[in-house]
């Protein structure tokens, strides 16, 4: 499960890296190897206290192991420790970042766009809403009530009014409710979620774009979780139609540290119109003088940023480019097939009931019982029982009215229902899916 041969590749790469400094006098940092070794062993022992995120039997939260090439490239860069705020701190890694931003934008049909990597989706979404607030000052932001909670929190930080919009029975933002808010005349930005993290539902982007014929507003696509699925050949036609429209939105957030096979943290913010870069303009008395070229810090709210993230992402793109029909896309397809197979098997179960047909690779399902209170209790118990058998799941609380269609025979005696949730984002999940269902069914039998 841990391939130690990767260390051989890292050692060889470090020798190549070292050859770039042959003109400098020899210098070897001195450390107490014995004490260093003792501490590293303690670190390894402490790190044993983790869930097995890398294993196919971990099907809980959105945790996907980095690709080996990303892991090795990231570690390699730490011997330089570049800072991509300015070229002074990371010439090579800044160039790599710019290339990655071009490639990520091309996934959505963009050329000549502006963007940069971030520490994650939260910072990337903050920048998107910050720019939106400058272009539509004193106007509201609206987004799905199933959108990530950071949008409401970020809006509060920025002093923007945020209004959550209800969803339809499939977990997508209700377009009729969106238009009701637009009619009030004070909405500047609509956040469209391309794969919400709770349910995996993709908001109907084409329908929301159509509203721009009658109303003036920006569209920000939060594709932090689902952004890469536009490369998949397995998504349904209506979902594919939403992804095809991403070229028309104003800004996009995508997280390579989710489906992009990258170590944490690696997010990305992209703007279709590069002119928004003028909003970032600022002066620095000491960081932007090593080159007349654009420094990434001049188009970012963050200052110091890990150049290692850019190095790892660039290496991954070199090995498995994010293009349709390639190895990268095949991994996404495998996760989608795993989720659909998981859903199909649960439909035949007498212990579980899926709440939605999976649109991406997230499956949400109830533990069947006579009433919603008992459903919630059984879900919590199964979460613990499954973990003891090495199957790691997640829990999600949903409004009772949202799951009423899926559970018509159950008495609703609570406002919310706790359900089980499985994220089948590892390519290996397709092969392991029958085993996961078997363990789950065994747990339910034990619970009685």
């Amino acid at each position: 499960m841990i391939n130690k041969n990767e260390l051989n590749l890292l050692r060889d790469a470090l020798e190549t890296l070292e050859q770039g400094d042959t003109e400098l006098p020899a210098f070897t940092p001195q450390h107490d190897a014995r004490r260093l070794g003792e501490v590293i062993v303690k670190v390894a022992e402490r790190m044993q206290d983790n869930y097995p995120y890398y294993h196919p039997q971990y099907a809980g939260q959105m945790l996907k192991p980095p690709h080996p090439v990303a892991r090795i490239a990231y570690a390699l860069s730490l011997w330089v420790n570049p800072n991509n705020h300015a070229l002074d701190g990371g010439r090579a890694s800044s160039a790599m970042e710019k290339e990655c931003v071009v490639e990520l934008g091309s996934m959505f049909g963009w050329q000549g766009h502006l963007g940069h990597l971030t520490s994650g989706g939260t910072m990337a979404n903050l920048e998107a809403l910050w720019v939106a607030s400058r272009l539509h000052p004193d106007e509201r932001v609206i987004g799905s009530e199933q959108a990530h909670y950071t949008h409401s929190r970020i809006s509060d930080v920025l002093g923007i009014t945020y209004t959550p919009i209800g969803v339809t029975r499939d977990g997508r933002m209700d377009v009729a409710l969106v238009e009701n808010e637009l009619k009030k005349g004070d909405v500047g930005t609509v956040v469209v979620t391309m794969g919400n993290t709770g349910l995996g539902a993709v908001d109907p982007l084409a329908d929301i774009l159509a509203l721009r014929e009658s109303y003036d507003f920006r569209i920000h696509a939060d594709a932090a979780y689902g952004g890469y699925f536009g490369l998949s050949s397995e998504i349904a036609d209506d979902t594919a139609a939403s992804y095809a429209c991403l070229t028309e939105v104003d800004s996009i957030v995508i997280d390579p540290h989710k489906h992009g096979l990258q170590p944490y943290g690696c997010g990305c913010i992209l703007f279709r119109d590069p002119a928004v870069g003028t909003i970032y303009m600022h002066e620095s008395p000491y960081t932007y003088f090593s080159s007349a070229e654009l420094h990434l810090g001049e188009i970012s709210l963050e200052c110091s940023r890990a150049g290692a993230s850019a190095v790892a992402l660039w290496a991954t793109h070199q090995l498995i480019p994010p293009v349709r029909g390639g190895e990268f896309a095949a991994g996404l397809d495998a996760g989608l097939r795993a989720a659909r197979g998981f859903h199909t098997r649960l439909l035949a179960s007498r212990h579980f009931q899926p709440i939605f047909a999976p649109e991406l690779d997230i499956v949400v399902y109830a533990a069947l019982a006579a009433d919603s209170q008992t459903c919630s209790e059984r879900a919590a118990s199964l979460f613990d029982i499954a973990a003891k058998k090495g199957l790691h799941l997640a829990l999600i609380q949903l409004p009772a009215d949202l799951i009423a269609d899926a559970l018509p025979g159950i008495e609703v005696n609570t406002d919310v229902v706790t359900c089980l949730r499985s994220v089948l984002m590892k390519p290996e999940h397709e092969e392991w899916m029958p085993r996961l269902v078997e363990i789950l069914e065994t747990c339910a039998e034990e619970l009685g």
Side-chain angles (χ1 to χ4, degrees):
M1 292 183 285
I2 296 177
N3 187 351
K4 300 179 184 62
N5 289 330
E6 293 176 20
L7 295 176
N8 296 327
L9 298 174
L10 176 60
R11 184 190 61 241
D12 294 343
L14 284 170
E15 291 178 358
T16 300
L17 176 64
E18 192 174 35
Q19 293 171 11
D21 290 331
T22 54
E23 297 180 1
L24 294 172
F27 166 69
T28 301
Q30 298 299 312
H31 302 287
D32 185 330
R34 181 187 62 80
R35 290 187 61 213
L36 189 152
E38 290 174 352
V39 171
I40 291 299
V41 169
K42 288 182 180 178
V43 171
E45 291 171 347
R46 290 294 298 269
M47 290 295 290
Q48 291 175 359
D49 183 23
N50 272 304
Y51 293 110
Y53 306 120
Y54 54 85
H55 197 279
Q57 283 188 194
Y58 184 86
Q61 302 295 349
M62 300 164 293
L63 295 162
K64 191 171 188 173
H67 192 282
V69 73
R71 185 163 48 233
I72 295 168
Y74 194 102
L76 171 67
S77 74
L78 294 182
W79 269 263
V80 176
N81 195 27
N83 178 352
N84 275 21
H85 174 67
L87 298 180
D88 308 54
R91 287 201 308 269
S93 53
S94 292
M96 291 175 172
E97 179 170 344
K98 291 178 182 179
E99 292 176 34
C100 289
V101 167
V102 169
E103 291 165 341
L104 290 173
S106 69
M107 285 171 37
F108 307 113
W110 285 0
Q111 293 182 349
H113 53 280
L114 187 76
H116 60 87
L117 299 183
T118 67
S119 57
T122 300
M123 192 66 199
N125 278 312
L126 186 148
E127 294 202 21
L129 296 189
W130 176 72
V131 167
S133 71
R134 295 301 187 270
L135 296 174
H136 286 262
D138 302 320
E139 295 186 320
R140 285 187 294 144
V141 173
I142 65 174
S144 163
E145 64 183 16
Q146 287 295 323
H148 201 277
Y149 67 87
T150 54
H151 291 291
S152 60
R153 188 166 66 178
I154 288 168
S155 295
D156 185 54
V157 169
L158 295 173
I160 303 170
T161 300
Y162 179 84
T163 304
I165 304 299
V167 298
T168 53
R169 294 296 190 185
D170 55 10
R172 299 172 177 177
M173 187 158 57
D174 190 320
V175 178
L177 296 180
V178 171
E179 185 165 18
N180 287 344
E181 295 300 320
L182 292 172
K183 287 178 179 177
K184 298 176 182 178
D186 64 343
V187 173
T189 303
V190 176
V191 176
V192 177
T193 304
M194 305 299 291
N196 56 53
T197 53
L199 310 173
V202 177
D203 286 339
L205 178 55
D207 295 335
I208 294 170
L209 276 166
L211 294 175
R212 289 209 296 200
E213 297 177 8
S214 304
Y215 307 95
D216 176 30
F217 61 95
R218 287 177 65 82
I219 296 180
H220 169 56
D222 181 359
Y225 184 74
Y228 286 99
F229 281 99
L231 304 176
S232 172
S233 61
E234 291 283 343
I235 55 175
D237 291 344
D238 60 338
T239 304
S242 290
Y243 279 96
C245 294
L246 277 170
T247 185
E248 302 298 325
V249 305
D250 297 288
S251 55
I252 300 172
V253 161
I254 186 169
D255 270 2
H257 66 210
K258 292 189 173 75
H259 286 97
L261 303 169
Q262 297 307 295
Y264 286 104
C266 184
C268 182
I269 174 62
L270 303 169
F271 295 100
R272 182 165 55 115
D273 181 4
V276 303
T278 59
I279 298 174
Y280 287 89
M281 289 183 63
H282 64 280
E283 294 182 0
S284 172
Y286 59 90
T287 57
Y288 300 141
F289 296 100
S290 65
S291 170
E293 297 180 31
L294 177 70
H295 293 248
L296 290 163
E298 296 175 274
I299 54 166
S300 170
L301 289 182
E302 290 181 279
C303 292
S304 296
R305 293 184 303 111
S309 295
V311 175
L313 184 58
W314 186 89
T316 307
H317 284 186
Q318 294 294 302
L319 184 65
I320 45 173
V323 296
R324 291 181 176 85
E327 180 183 346
F328 182 92
L332 299 173
D333 290 344
L336 288 170
R337 290 192 296 267
R340 290 173 187 161
F342 196 83
H343 173 263
T344 298
R345 287 174 181 251
L346 291 183
L347 284 173
S349 172
R350 62 189 182 88
H351 299 292
F352 303 98
Q353 174 62 47
I355 305 302
F356 310 96
E359 194 166 5
L360 299 181
D361 54 9
I362 297 175
V363 184
V364 177
Y365 47 104
L368 290 175
D371 58 77
S372 59
Q373 176 66 41
T374 310
C375 282
S376 296
E377 293 170 355
R378 284 182 64 83
S381 296
L382 287 166
F383 174 85
D384 293 331
I385 295 170
K388 293 175 182 177
K389 294 183 180 297
L391 174 61
H392 300 277
L393 309 170
L395 295 170
I396 182 171
Q397 289 188 328
L398 296 174
D401 57 357
L402 184 58
I403 67 173
D405 289 347
L407 305 173
I410 292 178
E411 177 190 352
V412 177
N413 55 1
T414 55
D415 294 331
V416 297
V417 181
T418 301
C419 295
L420 292 158
R421 174 173 163 274
S422 293
V423 180
L424 302 171
M425 65 191 305
K426 303 179 182 72
E428 297 84 1
H429 276 142
E430 183 176 20
E431 179 181 353
W432 283 69
M433 180 271 297
R435 176 180 173 83
L436 305 189
V437 176
E438 180 182 351
I439 297 172
L440 194 56
E441 293 284 3
T442 299
C443 293
E445 292 286 350
E446 290 184 9
L447 183 59

